Amino acid sequence: MTRRKFVCGNWKMHKTIAEAVQLVRELRDKTAGASAQVAVAPPFTALSAVKQAVAGSAIQLFAQNCHFEKQGAFTGEVSPAMVKDAGCDGVILGHSERRQSFGETDELVAKKLRAALAEGLHPIVCVGETLQEREAGRTWEVVSRQVRGALGGLDAATLQRITLAYEPVWAIGTGRNATSAQAQEVHAQIRGLLRDLGGQPVANAIRIQYGGSVKPDNAAELLSQPDVDGALVGGASLKAGDFSAIVSAAK
Ligand code: 13P
């Protein structure tokens, strides 16, 4: 079973509209002809402008978050329908920064996931343990709870529309990536759980991205692992040269 590699740049809270358009214009040229699926996730304010700038290219557009309701009195929130309306193909959900800084629980991520799927968006669901949890030997307890919490109860056809991202919290923005063996171990465990949840075809089809200090110099090694199907890239996605080098490493 060959799964097409999928590399997404999570720009987090970076880039004005003009900066975002400039970056994605460079990415258009540098990633043209890539074998991997490529996406960028700019901040909400730049989504529409980036959508115009990627028109006619293979670069997909993702939001970094959304609410679970369609509309209503939720000051400061953006609905899945609005994300879709801005031109997004998908949305990142349950990022550890959302879980840690904004109190997102497994239950909330599950609600957002269902709302995003109902809108026809391609969700990337993030999971990952903290350093404390890893050192206490609780990595799989935490990651499996997060995967089950978000995906549990969905049917096989729906599960196949989801991408997962394993992002160990201790590797995010620290320059300390998981080793390829550490990543592969958890990715293989997640794939086993996906088999339990949806059967073998689902487990074979779902892409599991690795995220956490992915850089041009470690991408090829991480992406060579059998269960590492792509990357969710933070800091290195803000530079066209670095991000396109990572995309090139995803074969
Ligand atoms: P860094 O690549 O900056 O470590 O961030 C990873 C991440 O959080 C992507 O979602």
Side-chain angles (χ1 to χ4, degrees), residues 8-10 12 92 95-97 126 167 171-175 211-215 232-237:
C8 180
N10 175 7
K12 307 191 180 182
I92 298 170
H95 192 280
S96 65
E97 288 150 17
C126 304
E167 298 204 303
I172 294 177
T174 59
S213 297
V214 178
K215 305 279 185 256
L232 187 54
V233 185
S237 73

Side-chain angles (χ1 to χ4, degrees), residues 37-188:
Q37 182 179 344
V38 179
V40 294
F44 288 123
T45 47
L47 287 176
S48 290
V50 170
K51 180 65 183 176
Q52 287 177 29
V54 296
S57 83
I59 299 176
Q60 294 193 322
L61 186 67
F62 274 58
Q64 299 174 18
N65 179 32
C66 68
H67 197 267
F68 56 84
E69 292 286 0
K70 278 188 189 303
Q71 58 182 29
F74 301 101
T75 301
E77 292 292 320
V78 174
S79 76
M82 291 166 179
V83 162
K84 180 101 182 170
D85 184 47
C88 288
D89 301 287
V91 59
I92 298 170
L93 295 173
H95 192 280
S96 65
E97 288 150 17
R98 303 282 334 157
R99 294 178 190 261
Q100 292 206 313
S101 304
F102 302 97
E104 291 202 7
T105 60
D106 292 335
E107 192 188 4
L108 182 62
V109 175
K111 283 169 92 165
K112 291 182 174 201
L113 175 61
R114 279 150 186 78
L117 286 163
E119 204 56 54
L121 291 162
H122 172 177
I124 297 176
V125 177
C126 304
V127 298
E129 82 287 0
T130 63
L131 184 59
Q132 201 183 17
E133 289 162 345
R134 174 163 281 263
E135 288 178 343
R138 296 181 52 223
T139 296
W140 182 238
E141 174 198 325
V142 170
V143 171
S144 61
R145 188 203 73 222
Q146 292 171 333
V147 174
R148 278 182 196 282
L151 274 57
L154 295 175
D155 62 33
T158 306
L159 287 170
Q160 300 216 21
R161 296 173 45 205
I162 298 168
T163 293
L164 285 169
Y166 170 56
E167 298 204 303
V169 177
W170 47 272
I172 294 177
T174 59
R176 178 186 168 192
N177 61 284
T179 64
S180 54
Q182 286 172 322
Q184 170 56 26
E185 182 184 16
V186 178
H187 282 230

